[in-house]
Amino acid sequence: MSQLLHTMIRVGNLDRSIEFYTQVMGMKLLRKSENAEYKYTLAFVGFGEESTGQAVIELTYNWGTDSYDLGNGFGHLAIGEENIYQRCDAIAAAGGKITRAPGPVAGGTTEIAFVEDPDGYKIELIQKNAMTEGLG
């Protein structure tokens, strides 16, 4: 069976992004590699290794590029949480930016919240007990 392995996002400051995803979001730095010839560094972060069935995030830093136009095609990353209210409190206490407070989705009962990473990427937190039901 096929498996989703990772989502890649480009970041303007790799250390800042690693700190956000590990210290604020609670992920682990799984591995990091540098390619001097092509001037980029990759860091993979996640809650577990792909070999365990987890999807991870590949943070790509292209040397000398400190920001990107995020465009309007990419939506967000989504993370299931046991308690989005406590998680948002912890994220805010760690310096993270909550852009949508936890609560029911408009027109439904699924509880969600949104966080923004240092590069402006949106991360949706979904209450785990409803995350496979769709947003309704």
Side-chain angles (χ1 to χ4, degrees), residues 79-87 111 126-129 131:
I79 298 173
E81 295 285 351
E82 294 295 332
N83 185 318
I84 63 171
Y85 298 88
Q86 289 178 353
R87 193 70 181 98
E111 295 173 291
I126 303 174
Q127 193 72 22
K128 263 189 171 180
N129 62 359
M131 69 184 190

Side-chain angles (χ1 to χ4, degrees), residues 107-129:
T109 58
T110 302
E111 295 173 291
I112 66 169
F114 274 90
V115 177
E116 189 173 282
D117 86 352
D119 288 283
Y121 292 107
K122 304 291 189 260
I123 303 164
E124 180 181 23
L125 306 179
I126 303 174
Q127 193 72 22
K128 263 189 171 180
N129 62 359

Side-chain angles (χ1 to χ4, degrees), residues 52-82:
T52 66
Q54 300 283 321
V56 305
I57 302 170
E58 173 187 337
L59 304 173
T60 298
Y61 173 63
N62 294 298
W63 300 359
T65 304
D66 62 3
S67 66
Y68 291 92
D69 176 6
L70 300 184
N72 61 5
F74 177 80
H76 61 267
L77 303 170
I79 298 173
E81 295 285 351
E82 294 295 332

